[in-house]
């Protein structure tokens, strides 16, 4: 019994030595193969990079054309737009006027009167129609043309203190 165990152990050790020997001998061959493999996959990598770069530029172009944020330096005059002045306060909105017409562009001029707020317009199903920041010292311009008449909700989108959740008002589109 002991001699059988001894023999099995010896065979196993021999196998391990053989595996090590095989790996060591063959690793030199593999090293010799590396340059061609490296060269091939560097080629693939640069093609992949070019592909991702092109894809990124294409997706950016398609998804920002037309650019979703209006030119902030431009004036949006009363004769082309319905101009709505929005003031955000802790914790209420001033919206003048609070009624606009559907089908005609609206220019919202939005500012924060104390801290940062978020001006968000929601339709009757509470889907977000559009939004911009209401920041003290800035007037952010946001353009939108309403397709559907109805009562739209204005909610604050940025935490601005205790009664942030209560900053709700309504905009009527007729
Ligand atoms: Cu104003 Cu949150």
């Amino acid at each position: 019994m002991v001699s059988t165990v001894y023999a099995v152990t010896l065979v196993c050790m021999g196998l391990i030595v053989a595996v090590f020997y095989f790996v060591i001998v063959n690793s030199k061959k593999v090293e010799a193969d590396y340059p061609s493999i490296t060269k091939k996959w560097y080629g693939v990598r640069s093609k992949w990079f070019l592909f991702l770069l092109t894809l990124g530029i294409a997706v950016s172009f398609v998804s920002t054309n037309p650019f979703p944020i209006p030119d902030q330096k431009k004036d949006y005059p009363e004769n082309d737009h319905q101009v709505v002045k929005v003031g955000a306060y802790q914790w209420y909105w001033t919206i003048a006027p609070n009624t606009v017409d559907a089908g005609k562009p609206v220019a919202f001029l939005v500012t924060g009167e104390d801290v940062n707020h978020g001006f968000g317009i929601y339709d009757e199903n509470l889907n977000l129609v559009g939004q911009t920041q209401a920041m003290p010292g800035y007037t952010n311009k946001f353009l939108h043309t309403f397709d559907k008449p109805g009562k739209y909700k204005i909610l604050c989108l940025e935490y601005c203190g205790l009664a942030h959740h209560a900053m709700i008002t309504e905009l009527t589109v007729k």
Side-chain angles (χ1 to χ4, degrees), residues 91 116-118 156-160 164 167:
W91 293 278
N116 265 9
H117 301 266
C156 184
L157 292 181
E158 184 164 331
Y159 184 71
C160 54
H164 153 75
M167 277 186 72

Side-chain angles (χ1 to χ4, degrees), residues 13-30:
M13 284 169 71
L15 274 177
I16 291 169
V17 169
V19 166
F20 268 83
Y21 181 75
F22 179 81
V23 168
I24 289 165
V25 165
N26 281 283
S27 67
K28 296 208 171 81
K29 278 191 214 152
V30 172

